[in-house]
Amino acid sequence: MGDASLLRVGGIAAAWVRPVESERAAMLRAVVFVSGMSSLAAEMCASRLLEPYFGTSLFVWANIIGLILIYLTVGYYLGGKIADRYPTPRHLYALTAIAGVGLLLIPFIARPILRLSLFAFAQYSVGSFLGSMLGTVLLFAVPVTLLGCVSPFAIRLAVQKVERAGNVAGSLYALSTVGSIAGTFLSVLVMIPTLGTARTLMLFAVVLLAISVAGLGRRPLWLAVLVGLVLIALPPGPIKPYPGMIAERESPYNYIQVIQDGGVRELLLNEGIAIHSIFNPAAASSPDPRAHLTRAYWDYVLVAPYYNPLHAAQSMRRVAIIGMGAGTMAKELTYFYGPIPIDGVEIDPGILQIGRQLFGLDEPNVNTIAQDGRYYLRTTANQYDLISVDAYHTPYIPFQLTTEEFFQEVSQHLSADGSVVINVGRTAADVRLVDVIARTMRAVFPSVHVIDVPAAQDALILNSLIVADNHPASLDDIRSRMQSLRNPVLRDLGVQAAKASTAVQQTPGLVFTDDHAPVEQVVDNMIIHYLRTGQ
């Protein structure tokens, strides 16, 4: 063969190789992007898997983020080692395929482990409780570690000339980061609210598995992708089965359950320790005023305004409820005080929707506002005779609603005869959270009283109401005022509340501020103390 023929053959070969190389480079970039996307989507889904069982405290997020970063770090190290030893695309796609299968299985493996945490918590088993939480996060160890291998492996495959190594590494890491950004916003803003946590995780797993199988070029492996699609299409089972559950939802803010027990509906959120709203459809139309009471802490909020000596009987003009829930407090206030304007602020629109559908939240005088409570106070000019803050549901308490600065803003929105009442969780023997919030309120208000609400003997979480206003009054004055109330139901509640009240004095100690409010630390210590001692 002559030189001309050799040149022609070489040219044809080069022309054929270039598209192949271009296709391989495109596949490599695609798997880097999808891997970055899947790793952050997995992190977002991890928080939602944990939320129904452990809540969303700072400590839970620290565990998730810290462990995910550890897995990625290990993956970066192993990825470089494996790439140097087996520098072929086939080995890279094998790793991402295994990661895809691992992500696909997580929703099914996680549920039995999470259910064990319920029994562990009920039996006060610290080891099992913390172990199940750690075990849940460890479910992500294998797939996330393998996803961490992708970037260094891809750089090893993509670098053809040493002088271009920096450019190649930078572009691939940038592509991975763009994928991570896409995974974060797609999962949180679109997919989890639309499809739910399990299906979101499975969909990312299927995409990762599909691109891995395409890179491996083995047709039988497409069966795994098909199985993944079938699993996504199957009707989802309950996330956390609960006796009497009649509704279950995931919102952008909470895992929501509604249970019905003997005709009474209860709203549970996330780990389900506390009851957030209660409604008895049969009692709603009863002519007996006492049938409209809940026999819980909400009832005592009705008499909180009378802790202010300037408040006249039945003179309620406007109320704000921060932490509206499904509307229990709004319904009670409307029944006993008439159709007064009530601004019900609830950060989660999903809860408000549940309230309208299942809790009879249809009073025309109630204005529901889907917004953060502190933001609402900062942006409204309304003055209130009563501000009820019911957003403190242990173990996850929004710190911005516990600080001295927040209570200063509350004070500015109280009328001259107005009061603020806060619901705070405690145990039978541990009132440290009540004490620090009462001390913080006392730094702002000249008059603060704590009502220890009576509760069932076997209740896990007890309640204290902290009532504050800008006009001091002695307990004797409060008791006398309660006894003079004309409404017999309110009079009985007021007398009980006054008997269970203590005045808060200014004392040295921790005061929560916007800069320093270690709420999670206080609550975590309470939980550990309870699990260890049962008190």
Side-chain angles (χ1 to χ4, degrees):
M1 187 180 293
D3 290 344
S5 299
L6 288 173
L7 287 173
R8 281 198 301 272
V9 171
I12 293 171
W16 180 81
V17 168
R18 277 195 296 270
V20 172
E21 292 299 326
S22 178
E23 182 181 340
R24 287 178 179 176
M27 283 291 298
L28 196 61
R29 288 193 294 269
V31 81
V32 168
F33 178 83
V34 172
S35 296
M37 187 169 61
S38 300
S39 63
L40 261 293
E43 185 172 340
M44 297 298 105
C45 290
S47 70
R48 297 307 296 256
L49 285 174
L50 285 165
E51 190 173 279
Y53 300 86
F54 302 100
T56 55
S57 73
L58 199 61
F59 293 111
V60 173
W61 267 109
N63 282 328
I64 294 170
I65 295 172
L67 285 170
I68 293 292
L69 288 174
I70 289 172
Y71 303 151
L72 290 173
T73 301
V74 173
Y76 298 149
Y77 176 79
L78 292 178
K81 289 283 189 182
I82 297 170
D84 283 343
R85 186 167 184 179
Y86 304 103
T88 65
R90 182 168 59 87
H91 286 89
L92 173 61
Y93 295 127
L95 292 176
T96 54
I98 296 170
V101 172
L103 290 177
L104 189 64
L105 293 176
I106 283 174
F108 304 98
I109 300 172
R111 289 187 180 184
I113 296 176
L114 290 167
R115 288 170 188 163
L116 287 176
S117 68
L118 294 178
F119 301 105
F121 191 83
Q123 296 171 9
Y124 319 129
S125 175
V126 178
S128 297
F129 180 72
L130 297 179
S132 63
M133 179 180 179
L134 182 61
T136 302
V137 181
L138 285 174
L139 289 169
F140 291 84
V142 172
V144 175
T145 299
L146 292 177
L147 290 174
C149 294
V150 172
S151 291
F153 207 130
I155 291 170
R156 174 66 177 82
L157 295 178
V159 172
Q160 300 297 325
K161 297 180 180 180
V162 175
E163 58 268 23
R164 297 195 68 248
N167 181 55
V168 170
S171 62
L172 288 178
Y173 271 117
L175 186 61
S176 177
T177 303
V178 171
S180 298
I181 295 169
T184 301
F185 288 113
L186 274 175
S187 60
V188 172
L189 301 180
V190 180
M191 297 176 67
I192 290 176
T194 305
L195 302 176
T197 303
R199 283 177 169 172
T200 296
L201 193 57
M202 286 190 288
L203 188 57
F204 277 102
V206 166
V207 173
L208 179 63
L209 192 55
I211 197 166
S212 302
V213 171
L216 288 169
R218 296 187 178 182
R219 291 184 181 179
L221 292 178
W222 284 105
L223 180 62
V225 178
L226 181 61
V227 170
L229 292 173
V230 170
L231 291 175
I232 294 172
L234 290 175
I239 296 171
K240 188 174 69 171
Y242 202 107
M245 186 171 68
I246 62 173
E248 180 188 46
R249 289 183 193 171
E250 286 186 282
S251 77
Y253 296 92
N254 293 288
Y255 165 68
I256 304 169
Q257 286 179 305
V258 179
I259 62 171
Q260 186 156 318
D261 183 13
V264 177
R265 294 172 186 170
E266 298 175 349
L267 175 70
L268 305 181
L269 300 178
N270 304 315
E271 77 292 348
I273 293 176
I275 298 172
H276 294 247
S277 292
I278 190 169
F279 176 59
N280 187 343
S285 57
S286 172
D288 180 7
R290 295 186 185 277
H292 294 262
L293 298 176
T294 63
R295 310 300 191 273
Y297 71 90
W298 291 284
D299 299 343
Y300 293 90
V301 176
L302 295 170
V303 297
Y306 301 108
Y307 278 72
N308 188 324
L310 302 184
H311 190 83
Q314 297 297 318
S315 67
M316 200 89 78
R317 296 177 295 270
R318 194 178 190 98
V319 173
I321 302 174
I322 296 175
M324 177 72 165
T328 299
M329 193 68 254
K331 296 182 77 66
E332 280 200 72
L333 286 165
T334 300
Y335 181 83
F336 284 98
Y337 288 98
I340 58 173
I342 297 176
D343 295 324
V345 185
E346 170 58 54
I347 196 171
D348 191 342
I351 293 176
L352 294 176
Q353 186 179 32
I354 283 283
R356 298 184 192 101
Q357 293 173 348
L358 297 174
F359 287 78
L361 181 57
D362 54 6
E363 285 74 13
N365 61 301
V366 178
N367 174 36
T368 57
I369 303 161
Q371 207 168 78
D372 177 82
R374 185 158 179 183
Y375 177 82
Y376 173 76
L377 284 180
R378 283 185 171 177
T379 55
T380 184
N382 292 335
Q383 296 291 111
Y384 296 100
D385 298 312
L386 177 66
I387 297 177
S388 172
V389 181
D390 194 12
Y392 295 2
H393 290 291
T394 306
Y396 48 96
I397 296 175
F399 90 92
Q400 72 271 19
L401 301 182
T402 69
T403 66
E404 184 177 359
E405 292 87 347
F406 169 69
F407 293 122
Q408 288 170 349
E409 293 174 12
V410 169
S411 177
Q412 294 167 6
H413 287 282
L414 287 179
S415 59
D417 59 346
S419 298
V420 55
V421 56
I422 316 290
N423 172 41
V424 184
R426 60 181 174 87
T427 66
D430 196 333
V431 296
R432 72 185 82 185
L433 183 62
V434 175
D435 286 346
V436 69
I437 292 178
R439 189 184 304 114
T440 301
M441 295 176 72
R442 189 65 178 81
V444 176
F445 297 97
S447 180
V448 178
H449 294 86
V450 176
I451 307 170
D452 288 330
V453 178
Q457 204 169 24
D458 59 346
L460 177 65
I461 299 294
L462 305 180
N463 297 91
S464 288
L465 296 179
I466 308 176
V467 185
D469 55 68
N470 289 311
H471 297 279
S474 68
L475 279 173
D476 289 338
D477 291 340
I478 292 171
R479 293 186 181 110
S480 175
R481 197 175 307 114
M482 296 301 184
Q483 290 172 350
S484 67
L485 294 179
R486 294 180 181 178
N487 185 304
V489 176
L490 295 181
R491 182 171 61 245
D492 290 347
L493 285 172
V495 169
Q496 293 174 31
K499 286 182 180 178
S501 294
T502 55
V504 177
Q505 306 299 327
Q506 281 187 314
T507 57
L510 176 64
V511 170
F512 285 162
T513 66
D514 284 351
D515 180 63
H516 183 227
V519 180
E520 289 88 358
Q521 187 177 32
V522 173
V523 174
D524 195 54
N525 288 334
M526 288 176 61
I527 292 174
I528 292 172
H529 179 267
Y530 184 86
L531 293 172
R532 190 175 64 248
T533 66
Q535 295 182 334

